[in-house]
Amino acid sequence: MDQGLIPRRYAKALYEVGDKRHDNEKLYGLMQSLADAFVAQPALSATLANPFVADSDKTSLLLHAVYGADIDAADTTYVDFVKLLERNKRVDLARAIAIAFIDLYRKEHSIYCVRVTSAAPMGAAEKARLEKIVGEHIGNGTMEYQYSVDPSLIGGFTVTVNSERLDASVSNELKRLRLSLIN
């Protein structure tokens, strides 16, 4: 079975359960925390895939990845989900399931992930102006902005909305100029 299909099926099932329990908004935040934990701790994936680590330890890792020391505040839907993964020997797919759930939630709620990379940190006025322009371009929906700085852009910025990209960087203009001079 396709490794992408299994996580999507689990994500869809979790979404449906969350919908019935009115937990999807909370689950969305938890799945983002889980996905972030995999980025922050690259060894987490290897540990979950390790057959010599006990399943109960893997479950504990997934709970602590989201809740940290505040494990007593654990949401029952998320705990049930993690236990289901343990029972079905699918704990190693937790990251892929979290990403699939985030994608599904965003699609169902018209949430757009907007990544802005600029050559230098942007001020509040610049951000507000850019967010207004992006909002007008997209129309209906909610935007989640992520800002980062990449000095290699030399100047300007890039904006990526889902899979659509606008490159208004000086480095891109220089690359275009060089290509036009070569041809």
Side-chain angles (χ1 to χ4, degrees):
M1 192 173 252
D2 181 15
Q3 286 296 315
L5 181 62
I6 295 170
R8 284 193 304 271
R9 285 184 177 172
Y10 274 89
K12 185 176 179 184
L14 178 61
Y15 186 88
E16 290 172 2
V17 169
D19 201 33
K20 288 178 186 170
R21 294 181 180 180
H22 307 288
D23 278 348
N24 273 342
E25 186 174 345
K26 186 173 186 178
L27 283 170
Y28 177 61
L30 295 172
M31 290 295 123
Q32 287 179 313
S33 295
L34 182 59
D36 291 345
F38 279 97
V39 172
Q41 298 294 328
L44 185 56
S45 290
T47 303
L48 294 177
N50 188 334
F52 298 109
V53 176
D55 289 341
S56 60
D57 291 338
K58 293 176 183 181
T59 299
S60 180
L61 277 173
L62 288 178
L63 293 174
H64 280 84
V66 170
Y67 292 105
D70 196 20
I71 199 73
D72 295 333
D75 177 63
T76 57
T77 305
Y78 180 74
V79 172
D80 292 346
F81 162 70
V82 171
K83 288 180 179 177
L84 175 71
L85 294 181
E86 180 184 350
R87 275 194 311 273
N88 292 346
K89 307 287 187 204
R90 298 289 191 194
V91 174
D92 59 321
L93 296 177
R95 179 179 181 272
I97 294 168
I99 291 169
F101 183 90
I102 291 167
D103 289 344
L104 178 61
Y105 186 89
R106 284 180 177 159
K107 184 177 179 182
E108 292 293 321
H109 292 89
S110 299
I111 298 173
Y112 299 93
C113 184
V114 182
R115 290 181 181 86
V116 179
T117 305
S118 58
M122 297 177 80
E126 293 171 313
K127 287 181 180 179
R129 185 169 167 238
L130 183 65
E131 289 174 9
K132 181 180 181 222
I133 292 169
V134 170
E136 289 171 356
H137 174 72
I138 293 175
N140 294 336
T142 304
M143 274 53 88
E144 289 182 351
Y145 289 90
Q146 297 175 350
Y147 290 92
S148 62
V149 175
D150 180 2
S152 71
L153 294 179
I154 303 171
F157 58 89
T158 64
V159 178
T160 306
V161 180
N162 293 341
S163 62
E164 187 178 337
R165 182 173 180 173
L166 166 70
D167 192 338
S169 66
V170 172
S171 64
N172 185 51
E173 291 301 318
L174 290 172
K175 188 185 324 178
R176 287 175 149 182
L177 180 61
R178 186 183 58 197
L179 288 174
S180 69
L181 290 173
I182 291 171
N183 292 328

